[in-house]
Amino acid sequence: MEEPRTAAATDAGAAVSLPEVTGAVEATGAVQAGGAVQAGGAVRDARPGDSTGPGKAVGGGRNLGPVALVVAGGLSVQFGAAIAVLLMPRTGALGIVSLRLALAAIVLLAVCRPALRGHSRADWGTVIAFGAAMAAMNCLFYQAADRIPLGAAVTLEVIGPLALSVIVSRRLVNLLWAGLALGGVLLLSGGGFDRLDPLGAAFALGAGAMWATYIVFSARTGRRFPQADGLALAMAVGALLALPLGIAESGSKLLVPSTLGLALAVALMSSVLPYTLELLALRRLPAPTFAVLMSLEPAIAATAGFLVLHQALSATDALAIALVIVASMGAVRTQIGRGNPKPARTSARDEVR
């Protein structure tokens, strides 16, 4: 999936809260591969509810600016995912994953320059688990996108984070949202995943499960490492794990200049640009609004698939995606829309795509 498929990053020392998990759940971004600000990096200055600084929520037409930034970030992620699908005939699914993670890691390491000393064994264990989840999530998502339409892949993938949100919640109403999402999935499958390609659907669901794992370790990494240092290190771990698979699948094809250029474009579109836009938006946008906007990404992915990949959706498919989007929005509003919304402390993008 692109990625990213977003993640719940917390301030150092903070506990994983329902709003943080839910925010990550709504990051249905495709092929997510770490950006300037994302999971695993605590963004201490992006607090849209802070009345003492730029995070103070603004009203009226001034809210259109941050909303536009979030929508632009979603478009960037999903169209980056569509370009990645176009690259697959050249590199294979695993080849594009390895290139994307490697290029994203190079950018992040150069920008963040994380310290390698002074970390405990538990710190390194957490960041390695985070990187492994990141690599697995992306490998599975790209395998799915190679077999089924992009919109369907993102819709099935988001079931994992949504299920995590329902599990950690103690509200019965979330069972309603889970049932609605399940109905959308069944409708998308047409009563049997053979219509979509059973293997592709299984890969997408597996990516969703790894996305949920990614969220958990993203939050833990964010508590153990300052800024985006943990993300940069985890991205390097993910790249090291994915590269042998990509080399085995595509070999020297990965070094073709035009392929490298397009892969860099995918990494920038799916990571650096959207996370930067979201950081700017989070300074002025309340967390519930941000999370609801992120719920629209399955629809954005379907649009990108139609425009770039010529993947048409039937009326039934569109209805199925709409049901999952409504379920995601409902889960968000149930958990963080009640009472005074908490500040969105980080980019909620699932990462890597």
Side-chain angles (χ1 to χ4, degrees), residues 334-348:
T334 297
Q335 295 189 30
I336 63 178
R338 182 178 179 179
N340 295 324
K342 294 187 178 182
R345 298 176 183 264
T346 63
S347 167

Side-chain angles (χ1 to χ4, degrees), residues 147-149 152 156 185 188-189 192-198 200-201 317:
R147 292 170 172 81
I148 62 177
L156 291 173
V185 171
L188 190 65
S189 70
F193 282 113
D194 55 313
R195 183 179 73 88
L196 279 179
D197 180 292
D317 293 335

